[in-house]
Amino acid sequence: MNTTQEPLIFELSGEGRVGCALPKSDVPHYQLPAGLERDALDLPQVDELTVVRHYSRLSQKNYSIDTNFYPLGSCTMKYNPKVNETAAGLPGWRLSHPLAGEKYSQGSLELIYKLQASLAEIGGFKAVSLQPAAGAHGEFSGVLMIRKYLLDRGEAKRTKMLIPDSAHGTNPASCAMAGFETQTIPSGPDGNIDMKALKAALDDRVAGIMITNPNTLGLFEKKIEKIAAMVHKAGGLVYGDGANMNALVGVFKPGEAGIDVMHFNLHKTFSTPHGGGGPGAGMIAAGKTLAPYLPGPVAVKNRGQYGLQMPDRSIGRVKSFLGNFGVLVRAYAYILMQGKDGLRRIAENSVLNANYLKASLEHAYVVKYPHTCMHEFVAMGDVAPGIHTLDIAKRLIDYGFHPPTIYFPLIVPEALMIEPTETESKETLDAFVEAMLAIAREAVEQPQLLHDAPVTTPVGRLDEVQAARYPVLRYKA
Ligand SMILES: *Cc1c(COP(=O)(O)O)cnc(C)c1O
């Protein structure tokens, strides 16, 4: 995997080494106010080649979708087409200034307007706001919209949000931040929402429900329309977590199934770069009840001119300027490149790839909810006595694959959540299957190998809790 030569020492600085020679300063000396001046700055002293090698080496330690298969369930780590980068890098976008004003930003506003319209059409919604910067940010904005709508109707007592036990952890967190309490709705034996439990929870304190569809078991909520109708009848609203839209684009429109407000992750379904804390986009779409409450401003078109407008009952801004504009350009380029038929093929092939992997692995790894899956499925990693999902995941790294999402969703013990996406070839999927089956054999024959994994990486198994709680960010004391 990592064939780069490691440097023998970590400290690369050497007294007197410089990367470039600056001319003698011709700026008059300025005396800094007392206390601001330092005699010496403890910066590394390195030559240019050492710096280039250092950063090149570091960059090669990164695992990325451009280097290897990344079956991280629920995250839709699909290929990010390079043409998106070309589009986002066009000088007209790249050099535009957020304070240029509407008159000088007609092109940018047109793109925003058309992307809003495309996403509304794809989801079957009335209106879209591109403001939120991530899926969780979209959820938070959406539940704030629900809260404002209920307050407008004088229904302050509706403070309870229903959340299925298969939901992403961000759902209850968004609710709590928006001032709602949450009530968990269990899943039935088929992996769908338990309708009896839902019915029992629908009282006059219900503000709404947050539904992920397909859910995090990779299963389609078959009764989605019925669920939406029941919640509406009880006076609540329906939030759709659209992070898993990769299974549905071009096939199913959530807005037509009774979802009132929903976020899409442009960095999942619409191929914009993902992870590393970079800029994302978790746009939200709303049907006619909640459209006036969308965060703004949103792009509008009046007599051939594009402009910005706050929706009537808007919850306000949730992001500076127009969101992460470069990401929006990438998503729009992707949608234009796919067209209607291409979008449908994304859903079809992502479902096909996931079912191919499921069928190839389920004789070795138990799949607790064995129904035909959508874009992902959840297997179990306890394939031999004393072997845990963590061991399987770590051993996969030795085989050159990014591990799947593990220990999530919580309703499957020893969960391994696998999502191949539509962009992988059959050869890649077969290589992954071969690695997974080899690991299942190793689990029986050489369990210690799995407990020690990974063994091919610069560092072995880390104490992840310790690393997260007490990160050591400097190598010097
Ligand atoms: C990824 C994901 C989210 C959160 O999206 P972020 O962009 O990571 O904030 C929410 N729900 C589900 C089901 C997800 O997979």
Side-chain angles (χ1 to χ4, degrees), residues 273-322:
H274 193 154
M283 49 71 52
I284 43 178
K288 75 175 186 313
T289 312
L290 288 180
Y293 293 84
L294 281 168
V298 297
V300 292
K301 188 177 181 186
N302 276 322
R303 280 181 256 114
Q305 288 290 302
Y306 295 96
L308 289 170
Q309 198 172 299
M310 268 297 178
D312 287 346
R313 299 290 307 149
S314 178
I315 57 163
R317 271 190 179 281
V318 296
K319 183 88 177 75
S320 55
F321 299 108
L322 300 173

Tab-separated table of all heavy atoms in Angstrom, residues 273-322:
chain	number	residue	atom	x	y	z
A	273	PRO	N	-16.946	17.057	-3.444
A	273	PRO	CA	-15.976	16.449	-2.527
A	273	PRO	C	-16.490	16.389	-1.090
A	273	PRO	O	-17.322	17.186	-0.674
A	273	PRO	CB	-14.764	17.375	-2.621
A	273	PRO	CG	-14.908	18.039	-3.936
A	273	PRO	CD	-16.380	18.190	-4.175
A	274	HIS	N	-15.959	15.449	-0.344
A	274	HIS	CA	-16.579	14.986	0.875
A	274	HIS	C	-15.476	14.699	1.893
A	274	HIS	O	-14.471	14.127	1.559
A	274	HIS	CB	-17.249	13.675	0.479
A	274	HIS	CG	-18.207	13.119	1.468
A	274	HIS	ND1	-19.227	12.316	1.082
A	274	HIS	CD2	-18.299	13.216	2.786
A	274	HIS	CE1	-19.911	11.928	2.125
A	274	HIS	NE2	-19.363	12.472	3.178
A	275	GLY	N	-15.721	15.117	3.092
A	275	GLY	CA	-14.790	14.722	4.139
A	275	GLY	C	-13.651	15.709	4.316
A	275	GLY	O	-13.553	16.716	3.627
A	276	GLY	N	-12.828	15.404	5.300
A	276	GLY	CA	-11.694	16.271	5.574
A	276	GLY	C	-12.128	17.621	6.128
A	276	GLY	O	-11.346	18.551	6.195
A	277	GLY	N	-13.401	17.739	6.516
A	277	GLY	CA	-13.866	19.001	7.074
A	277	GLY	C	-14.005	20.093	6.039
A	277	GLY	O	-14.207	21.261	6.369
A	278	GLY	N	-13.933	19.734	4.768
A	278	GLY	CA	-14.017	20.736	3.710
A	278	GLY	C	-15.415	21.270	3.558
A	278	GLY	O	-16.334	20.833	4.236
A	279	PRO	N	-15.595	22.249	2.669
A	279	PRO	CA	-16.920	22.828	2.497
A	279	PRO	C	-17.892	21.811	1.932
A	279	PRO	O	-17.573	21.101	0.989
A	279	PRO	CB	-16.697	23.984	1.520
A	279	PRO	CG	-15.447	23.664	0.814
A	279	PRO	CD	-14.618	22.826	1.748
A	280	GLY	N	-19.064	21.695	2.502
A	280	GLY	CA	-20.092	20.807	1.998
A	280	GLY	C	-21.306	21.623	1.603
A	280	GLY	O	-21.253	22.851	1.551
A	281	ALA	N	-22.393	20.914	1.309
A	281	ALA	CA	-23.650	21.599	1.016
A	281	ALA	C	-24.793	20.658	1.361
A	281	ALA	O	-24.864	19.548	0.851
A	281	ALA	CB	-23.716	22.027	-0.438
A	282	GLY	N	-25.651	21.110	2.265
A	282	GLY	CA	-26.788	20.293	2.707
A	282	GLY	C	-28.081	21.028	2.433
A	282	GLY	O	-28.871	21.265	3.328
A	283	MET	N	-28.269	21.410	1.153
A	283	MET	CA	-29.438	22.220	0.776
A	283	MET	C	-30.738	21.615	1.293
A	283	MET	O	-30.815	20.412	1.494
A	283	MET	CB	-29.515	22.400	-0.744
A	283	MET	CG	-29.383	21.170	-1.591
A	283	MET	SD	-30.725	19.975	-1.622
A	283	MET	CE	-32.155	20.907	-1.990
A	284	ILE	N	-31.734	22.469	1.530
A	284	ILE	CA	-33.026	21.918	1.943
A	284	ILE	C	-34.124	22.314	0.970
A	284	ILE	O	-34.113	23.390	0.386
A	284	ILE	CB	-33.452	22.287	3.384
A	284	ILE	CG1	-33.188	23.737	3.695
A	284	ILE	CG2	-32.764	21.395	4.384
A	284	ILE	CD1	-33.662	24.104	5.090
A	285	ALA	N	-35.077	21.398	0.833
A	285	ALA	CA	-36.198	21.579	-0.077
A	285	ALA	C	-37.471	21.476	0.748
A	285	ALA	O	-37.526	20.728	1.723
A	285	ALA	CB	-36.175	20.488	-1.137
A	286	ALA	N	-38.490	22.224	0.354
A	286	ALA	CA	-39.743	22.190	1.107
A	286	ALA	C	-40.950	22.151	0.181
A	286	ALA	O	-40.904	22.673	-0.937
A	286	ALA	CB	-39.834	23.423	2.022
A	287	GLY	N	-42.010	21.525	0.656
A	287	GLY	CA	-43.288	21.529	-0.050
A	287	GLY	C	-44.041	22.818	0.260
A	287	GLY	O	-43.495	23.722	0.899
A	288	LYS	N	-45.313	22.890	-0.142
A	288	LYS	CA	-45.967	24.203	-0.066
A	288	LYS	C	-46.204	24.685	1.364
A	288	LYS	O	-46.160	25.874	1.625
A	288	LYS	CB	-47.227	24.247	-0.939
A	288	LYS	CG	-48.440	23.527	-0.426
A	288	LYS	CD	-49.599	23.801	-1.397
A	288	LYS	CE	-50.904	23.229	-0.900
A	288	LYS	NZ	-50.844	21.834	-0.408
A	289	THR	N	-46.374	23.770	2.321
A	289	THR	CA	-46.608	24.210	3.702
A	289	THR	C	-45.399	24.965	4.260
A	289	THR	O	-45.548	26.004	4.902
A	289	THR	CB	-46.873	22.988	4.618
A	289	THR	OG1	-47.833	22.162	3.983
A	289	THR	CG2	-47.356	23.403	5.980
A	290	LEU	N	-44.216	24.434	4.023
A	290	LEU	CA	-43.037	25.000	4.682
A	290	LEU	C	-42.174	25.878	3.776
A	290	LEU	O	-41.227	26.514	4.265
A	290	LEU	CB	-42.188	23.880	5.301
A	290	LEU	CG	-42.784	23.210	6.544
A	290	LEU	CD1	-41.865	22.114	7.068
A	290	LEU	CD2	-43.047	24.234	7.662
A	291	ALA	N	-42.463	25.945	2.481
A	291	ALA	CA	-41.629	26.749	1.565
A	291	ALA	C	-41.429	28.188	2.063
A	291	ALA	O	-40.322	28.724	1.976
A	291	ALA	CB	-42.208	26.725	0.157
A	292	PRO	N	-42.468	28.851	2.613
A	292	PRO	CA	-42.255	30.238	3.064
A	292	PRO	C	-41.273	30.354	4.228
A	292	PRO	O	-40.821	31.448	4.549
A	292	PRO	CB	-43.661	30.679	3.521
A	292	PRO	CG	-44.612	29.689	2.941
A	292	PRO	CD	-43.863	28.409	2.782
A	293	TYR	N	-40.959	29.223	4.865
A	293	TYR	CA	-40.102	29.249	6.060
A	293	TYR	C	-38.637	28.959	5.756
A	293	TYR	O	-37.795	28.982	6.635
A	293	TYR	CB	-40.626	28.237	7.091
A	293	TYR	CG	-41.966	28.645	7.651
A	293	TYR	CD1	-43.143	28.347	6.993
A	293	TYR	CD2	-42.035	29.376	8.838
A	293	TYR	CE1	-44.376	28.745	7.491
A	293	TYR	CE2	-43.261	29.778	9.352
A	293	TYR	CZ	-44.429	29.462	8.676
A	293	TYR	OH	-45.627	29.879	9.178
A	294	LEU	N	-38.325	28.656	4.487
A	294	LEU	CA	-36.947	28.289	4.129
A	294	LEU	C	-35.954	29.375	4.538
A	294	LEU	O	-36.279	30.565	4.498
A	294	LEU	CB	-36.841	28.068	2.613
A	294	LEU	CG	-37.342	26.738	2.070
A	294	LEU	CD1	-37.445	26.799	0.542
A	294	LEU	CD2	-36.445	25.575	2.497
A	295	PRO	N	-34.738	28.973	4.907
A	295	PRO	CA	-33.715	29.993	5.159
A	295	PRO	C	-33.392	30.726	3.857
A	295	PRO	O	-33.580	30.181	2.770
A	295	PRO	CB	-32.507	29.189	5.661
A	295	PRO	CG	-32.746	27.785	5.241
A	295	PRO	CD	-34.224	27.607	5.081
A	296	GLY	N	-32.920	31.928	3.967
A	296	GLY	CA	-32.647	32.711	2.771
A	296	GLY	C	-31.417	33.565	2.958
A	296	GLY	O	-30.760	33.483	3.993
A	297	PRO	N	-31.121	34.406	1.961
A	297	PRO	CA	-31.952	34.623	0.782
A	297	PRO	C	-31.838	33.493	-0.241
A	297	PRO	O	-30.856	32.759	-0.235
A	297	PRO	CB	-31.386	35.926	0.210
A	297	PRO	CG	-29.966	35.953	0.655
A	297	PRO	CD	-29.931	35.273	1.982
A	298	VAL	N	-32.872	33.393	-1.091
A	298	VAL	CA	-32.843	32.443	-2.194
A	298	VAL	C	-32.850	33.245	-3.500
A	298	VAL	O	-33.219	34.410	-3.509
A	298	VAL	CB	-34.057	31.473	-2.150
A	298	VAL	CG1	-34.024	30.618	-0.893
A	298	VAL	CG2	-35.370	32.245	-2.222
A	299	ALA	N	-32.399	32.595	-4.579
A	299	ALA	CA	-32.354	33.298	-5.871
A	299	ALA	C	-33.740	33.307	-6.501
A	299	ALA	O	-34.464	32.305	-6.448
A	299	ALA	CB	-31.351	32.625	-6.793
A	300	VAL	N	-34.112	34.439	-7.067
A	300	VAL	CA	-35.404	34.568	-7.761
A	300	VAL	C	-35.161	35.200	-9.130
A	300	VAL	O	-34.092	35.760	-9.388
A	300	VAL	CB	-36.400	35.461	-6.965
A	300	VAL	CG1	-36.815	34.784	-5.676
A	300	VAL	CG2	-35.776	36.827	-6.673
A	301	LYS	N	-36.164	35.085	-10.014
A	301	LYS	CA	-36.047	35.682	-11.350
A	301	LYS	C	-37.252	36.575	-11.587
A	301	LYS	O	-38.396	36.141	-11.437
A	301	LYS	CB	-36.010	34.567	-12.392
A	301	LYS	CG	-35.710	35.055	-13.794
A	301	LYS	CD	-35.633	33.865	-14.743
A	301	LYS	CE	-35.320	34.324	-16.148
A	301	LYS	NZ	-35.381	33.200	-17.104
A	302	ASN	N	-36.978	37.847	-11.896
A	302	ASN	CA	-38.050	38.809	-12.171
A	302	ASN	C	-37.741	39.538	-13.461
A	302	ASN	O	-36.712	40.187	-13.568
A	302	ASN	CB	-38.142	39.847	-11.037
A	302	ASN	CG	-38.973	39.324	-9.891
A	302	ASN	OD1	-39.980	38.649	-10.107
A	302	ASN	ND2	-38.535	39.614	-8.660
A	303	ARG	N	-38.616	39.451	-14.450
A	303	ARG	CA	-38.450	40.112	-15.757
A	303	ARG	C	-37.038	39.938	-16.304
A	303	ARG	O	-36.341	40.899	-16.633
A	303	ARG	CB	-38.815	41.596	-15.653
A	303	ARG	CG	-40.349	41.785	-15.712
A	303	ARG	CD	-40.762	43.237	-15.633
A	303	ARG	NE	-41.272	43.573	-14.321
A	303	ARG	CZ	-40.700	44.409	-13.472
A	303	ARG	NH1	-39.595	45.026	-13.781
A	303	ARG	NH2	-41.244	44.645	-12.309
A	304	GLY	N	-36.606	38.690	-16.337
A	304	GLY	CA	-35.315	38.391	-16.965
A	304	GLY	C	-34.099	38.693	-16.100
A	304	GLY	O	-32.978	38.396	-16.481
A	305	GLN	N	-34.301	39.293	-14.925
A	305	GLN	CA	-33.173	39.607	-14.038
A	305	GLN	C	-33.181	38.674	-12.833
A	305	GLN	O	-34.252	38.369	-12.287
A	305	GLN	CB	-33.300	41.043	-13.516
A	305	GLN	CG	-33.038	42.107	-14.539
A	305	GLN	CD	-31.559	42.161	-14.930
A	305	GLN	OE1	-30.691	42.353	-14.075
A	305	GLN	NE2	-31.269	41.936	-16.214
A	306	TYR	N	-31.989	38.247	-12.443
A	306	TYR	CA	-31.894	37.397	-11.271
A	306	TYR	C	-31.612	38.250	-10.052
A	306	TYR	O	-30.891	39.251	-10.141
A	306	TYR	CB	-30.787	36.352	-11.453
A	306	TYR	CG	-31.113	35.392	-12.570
A	306	TYR	CD1	-30.617	35.598	-13.864
A	306	TYR	CD2	-31.952	34.301	-12.347
A	306	TYR	CE1	-30.944	34.741	-14.900
A	306	TYR	CE2	-32.280	33.439	-13.374
A	306	TYR	CZ	-31.775	33.664	-14.648
A	306	TYR	OH	-32.107	32.812	-15.665
A	307	GLY	N	-32.201	37.866	-8.935
A	307	GLY	CA	-31.979	38.624	-7.707
A	307	GLY	C	-32.085	37.710	-6.499
A	307	GLY	O	-32.210	36.489	-6.627
A	308	LEU	N	-32.010	38.320	-5.325
A	308	LEU	CA	-32.082	37.544	-4.082
A	308	LEU	C	-33.282	38.003	-3.274
A	308	LEU	O	-33.622	39.181	-3.272
A	308	LEU	CB	-30.811	37.753	-3.253
A	308	LEU	CG	-29.552	37.109	-3.820
A	308	LEU	CD1	-28.331	37.592	-3.046
A	308	LEU	CD2	-29.664	35.593	-3.766
A	309	GLN	N	-33.910	37.064	-2.598
A	309	GLN	CA	-35.102	37.418	-1.839
A	309	GLN	C	-35.217	36.521	-0.607
A	309	GLN	O	-34.873	35.344	-0.658
A	309	GLN	CB	-36.311	37.191	-2.734
A	309	GLN	CG	-37.562	37.889	-2.275
A	309	GLN	CD	-38.645	37.759	-3.344
A	309	GLN	OE1	-38.489	38.226	-4.476
A	309	GLN	NE2	-39.719	37.096	-3.001
A	310	MET	N	-35.716	37.086	0.476
A	310	MET	CA	-35.998	36.278	1.664
A	310	MET	C	-37.396	35.674	1.511
A	310	MET	O	-38.343	36.409	1.220
A	310	MET	CB	-36.004	37.165	2.918
A	310	MET	CG	-34.683	37.278	3.624
A	310	MET	SD	-34.140	35.692	4.260
A	310	MET	CE	-32.571	36.157	4.960
A	311	PRO	N	-37.551	34.374	1.709
A	311	PRO	CA	-38.908	33.809	1.718
A	311	PRO	C	-39.741	34.512	2.803
A	311	PRO	O	-39.190	34.962	3.813
A	311	PRO	CB	-38.664	32.338	2.053
A	311	PRO	CG	-37.253	32.069	1.612
A	311	PRO	CD	-36.510	33.348	1.853
A	312	ASP	N	-41.068	34.593	2.589
A	312	ASP	CA	-41.966	35.383	3.455
A	312	ASP	C	-41.787	35.177	4.953
A	312	ASP	O	-41.729	36.118	5.720
A	312	ASP	CB	-43.432	35.033	3.139
A	312	ASP	CG	-43.849	35.614	1.811
A	312	ASP	OD1	-43.097	36.483	1.310
A	312	ASP	OD2	-44.898	35.193	1.281
A	313	ARG	N	-41.793	33.913	5.364
A	313	ARG	CA	-41.737	33.620	6.800
A	313	ARG	C	-40.399	32.984	7.170
A	313	ARG	O	-40.319	32.154	8.080
A	313	ARG	CB	-42.877	32.662	7.194
A	313	ARG	CG	-44.285	33.183	6.940
A	313	ARG	CD	-44.676	34.307	7.866
A	313	ARG	NE	-44.493	33.981	9.271
A	313	ARG	CZ	-44.194	34.880	10.204
A	313	ARG	NH1	-44.043	36.151	9.884
A	313	ARG	NH2	-44.046	34.504	11.451
A	314	SER	N	-39.365	33.362	6.436
A	314	SER	CA	-38.045	32.717	6.562
A	314	SER	C	-37.536	32.640	8.009
A	314	SER	O	-37.733	33.571	8.785
A	314	SER	CB	-37.028	33.489	5.726
A	314	SER	OG	-35.752	32.916	5.873
A	315	ILE	N	-36.876	31.544	8.324
A	315	ILE	CA	-36.199	31.463	9.621
A	315	ILE	C	-34.949	32.348	9.610
A	315	ILE	O	-34.270	32.482	10.617
A	315	ILE	CB	-35.790	30.009	9.978
A	315	ILE	CG1	-34.892	29.402	8.895
A	315	ILE	CG2	-37.009	29.140	10.246
A	315	ILE	CD1	-34.130	28.164	9.329
A	316	GLY	N	-34.614	32.932	8.463
A	316	GLY	CA	-33.465	33.839	8.362
A	316	GLY	C	-32.276	33.164	7.706
A	316	GLY	O	-32.409	32.133	7.058
A	317	ARG	N	-31.153	33.771	7.879
A	317	ARG	CA	-29.915	33.220	7.323
A	317	ARG	C	-29.403	32.084	8.189
A	317	ARG	O	-29.498	32.151	9.409
A	317	ARG	CB	-28.828	34.288	7.369
A	317	ARG	CG	-28.758	35.162	6.179
A	317	ARG	CD	-27.484	36.008	6.254
A	317	ARG	NE	-27.415	36.837	5.068
A	317	ARG	CZ	-27.016	36.398	3.895
A	317	ARG	NH1	-26.591	35.157	3.751
A	317	ARG	NH2	-27.016	37.188	2.849
A	318	VAL	N	-28.806	31.064	7.559
A	318	VAL	CA	-28.084	30.076	8.360
A	318	VAL	C	-26.628	29.992	7.896
A	318	VAL	O	-25.859	29.188	8.417
A	318	VAL	CB	-28.752	28.676	8.304
A	318	VAL	CG1	-30.137	28.712	8.929
A	318	VAL	CG2	-28.822	28.136	6.885
A	319	LYS	N	-26.265	30.834	6.935
A	319	LYS	CA	-24.903	30.790	6.395
A	319	LYS	C	-24.617	32.153	5.782
A	319	LYS	O	-25.527	32.813	5.295
A	319	LYS	CB	-24.843	29.694	5.318
A	319	LYS	CG	-23.499	29.449	4.686
A	319	LYS	CD	-22.700	28.427	5.471
A	319	LYS	CE	-21.368	28.107	4.818
A	319	LYS	NZ	-20.370	29.175	4.999
A	320	SER	N	-23.345	32.541	5.815
A	320	SER	CA	-22.995	33.819	5.209
A	320	SER	C	-23.129	33.735	3.687
A	320	SER	O	-22.992	32.661	3.096
A	320	SER	CB	-21.558	34.187	5.580
A	320	SER	OG	-20.695	33.140	5.223
A	321	PHE	N	-23.401	34.827	3.049
A	321	PHE	CA	-23.527	34.928	1.593
A	321	PHE	C	-24.448	33.831	1.052
A	321	PHE	O	-25.533	33.633	1.573
A	321	PHE	CB	-22.144	34.933	0.930
A	321	PHE	CG	-21.326	36.116	1.387
A	321	PHE	CD1	-20.246	35.951	2.241
A	321	PHE	CD2	-21.686	37.406	1.017
A	321	PHE	CE1	-19.521	37.043	2.684
A	321	PHE	CE2	-20.965	38.508	1.468
A	321	PHE	CZ	-19.890	38.324	2.289
A	322	LEU	N	-23.990	33.091	0.033
A	322	LEU	CA	-24.909	32.157	-0.633
A	322	LEU	C	-24.545	30.700	-0.382
A	322	LEU	O	-24.795	29.834	-1.214
A	322	LEU	CB	-24.918	32.451	-2.133
A	322	LEU	CG	-25.383	33.875	-2.474
A	322	LEU	CD1	-25.218	34.171	-3.941
A	322	LEU	CD2	-26.844	34.059	-2.066
